[in-house]
Amino acid sequence: MKKFIILLLIAMLALGPLTACGNNTSNVEITVPKSFLAPDSGEINYDEIINKAKEDGVKDVVINEDGSITYKMDKAQHDKMMTELRKNVKDTFDELINGEDFPSIKEIKSNESFSEIEVVVDRERFENSLDGIGILGIVFPSMLYQVFDGVDPENCKVIVNLKDIATNEIFNTVIYPDALDPDALENK
């Protein structure tokens, strides 16, 4: 599981964390909030992020006063980045299903924007394990995809429906990032 989380973080860094995307016909500008760059409030290696973005063909990378980063690229580069990001999100789904770390997770389906995800699980096994941690491994890349696709980070949501493989019924729905809000957790 530790290996999975490390690979996920490396993949997210390699993709060049981004947020709100405003584009016209030839240029795309994406600003990634600091919270997406360091979700654990850890130190951010801006040089590494900038160098990776430049290697990937991003025209300009600006570190903003609030710690966010703004990327500027042409539409073709953005389209290529979205294709790669889509593939990486789907690969993350496959790794979760086929890996050994989360055996209760059997299938993952999503809509095109990755804003709604159905996770088919062996419910009994899922509820008696820590496999729920694996859900975070699909939520964060899905949110990142949305940000790259132009969704304002403040409006970025992923609805996860947990479906029991035995009964074919949804037994739980969790909305992220709301589920991670400490105030929301205290009120439950």
Side-chain angles (χ1 to χ4, degrees):
M1 181 165 66
K2 187 175 183 181
K3 178 182 168 191
F4 173 77
I5 292 170
I6 290 169
L7 289 173
L8 175 65
L9 291 173
I10 290 170
M12 288 176 73
L13 277 176
L15 291 170
L18 305 170
T19 57
C21 172
N23 59 11
N24 58 31
T25 56
S26 60
N27 291 308
V28 177
E29 189 173 296
I30 301 170
T31 300
V32 181
K34 185 177 182 178
S35 62
F36 273 57
L37 299 169
D40 62 354
S41 301
E43 194 166 318
I44 300 168
N45 186 336
Y46 287 102
D47 290 335
E48 182 179 334
I49 292 170
I50 291 169
N51 289 336
K52 176 64 178 151
K54 296 274 185 175
E55 285 174 18
D56 290 343
V58 175
K59 288 181 183 177
D60 192 23
V61 183
V62 176
I63 302 169
N64 302 309
E65 286 183 27
D66 63 359
S68 64
I69 294 182
T70 299
Y71 298 82
K72 296 177 184 174
M73 66 193 86
D74 61 40
K75 183 151 178 26
Q77 182 60 33
H78 180 258
D79 290 345
K80 178 181 173 192
M81 188 176 290
M82 292 304 297
T83 299
E84 290 174 16
L85 188 52
R86 173 171 288 287
K87 180 188 178 311
N88 287 335
V89 172
K90 289 193 175 263
D91 287 349
T92 300
F93 290 3
D94 290 342
E95 288 172 23
L96 210 61
I97 295 164
N98 299 319
E100 297 175 9
D101 293 329
F102 307 103
S104 70
I105 298 174
K106 304 300 182 187
E107 185 179 1
I108 302 172
K109 303 175 198 172
S110 72
N111 63 0
E112 286 294 310
S113 66
F114 298 107
S115 62
E116 190 161 341
I117 301 171
E118 180 180 273
V119 181
V120 179
V121 300
D122 175 331
R123 181 177 181 176
E124 184 178 341
R125 212 168 168 186
F126 182 82
E127 290 179 338
N128 292 305
S129 70
L130 295 176
D131 287 4
I133 293 170
I135 303 299
L136 295 176
I138 61 174
V139 167
F140 290 121
S142 298
M143 290 176 70
L144 187 61
Y145 179 90
Q146 291 178 45
V147 169
F148 274 96
D149 203 30
V151 175
D152 183 323
E154 295 295 319
N155 298 322
C156 193
K157 301 254 186 234
V158 176
I159 300 167
V160 177
N161 293 305
L162 297 171
K163 183 185 254 187
D164 184 359
I165 195 166
T167 64
N168 211 29
E169 292 180 18
I170 293 174
F171 65 91
N172 194 10
T173 297
V174 184
I175 301 172
Y176 292 92
D178 300 357
L180 301 174
D181 181 1
D183 293 332
L185 294 174
E186 286 178 15
N187 294 329
K188 281 195 171 189

